[in-house]
């Protein structure tokens, strides 16, 4: 997860968008552990915090999407079915 000084302050969103919920959560947990250790340089910690915030938003969006799908499950005459969710 090392970042170079040539990278922009804002973490790239395209790589985060491609992550599954589980992958994003695992990376976020690693960032939290790293930040809690307090051993990193200030600039690296700020960059890690920014990425962590983006990962958190991504996880929240994935959870909201899953919640929508779950809420779309309705009991019909043939049992539970899944309505189309956009």
């Amino acid at each position: 997860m090392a970042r170079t000084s040539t990278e922009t302050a804002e973490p790239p969103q395209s790589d985060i968008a491609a992550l599954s919920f589980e992958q994003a959560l695992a990376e976020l947990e690693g960032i939290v552990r790293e930040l809690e250790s307090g051993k990193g340089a200030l600039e690296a910690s700020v960059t890690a915090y920014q990425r962590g915030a983006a990962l958190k938003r991504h996880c929240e969006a994935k959870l909201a999407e899953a919640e929508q799908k779950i809420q779309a499950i309705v009991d019909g005459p043939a049992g539970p079915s899944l309505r189309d969710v956009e």
Side-chain angles (χ1 to χ4, degrees):
M1 189 176 79
R3 294 186 178 270
T4 65
S5 60
T6 58
E7 290 186 32
T8 60
E10 183 63 28
Q13 296 298 313
S14 60
D15 70 326
I16 292 174
L19 296 175
S20 70
F21 173 80
E22 293 79 9
Q23 291 168 322
L25 184 60
E27 185 176 344
L28 179 56
E29 289 171 341
I31 288 171
V32 169
R33 279 192 300 277
E34 179 182 318
L35 291 173
E36 285 179 340
S37 77
K39 295 180 182 176
L42 178 61
E43 188 64 34
S45 294
V46 170
T47 301
Y49 184 89
Q50 288 174 322
R51 181 156 178 92
L55 287 163
K56 177 183 174 278
R57 286 189 301 272
H58 177 71
C59 287
E60 288 171 343
K62 289 287 191 181
L63 285 173
E65 183 182 311
E67 184 178 3
Q68 259 189 328
K69 289 179 181 179
I70 290 169
Q71 288 179 351
I73 297 173
V74 294
D75 286 331
S81 65
L82 185 62
R83 297 181 301 206
D84 289 336
V85 177
E86 294 183 37

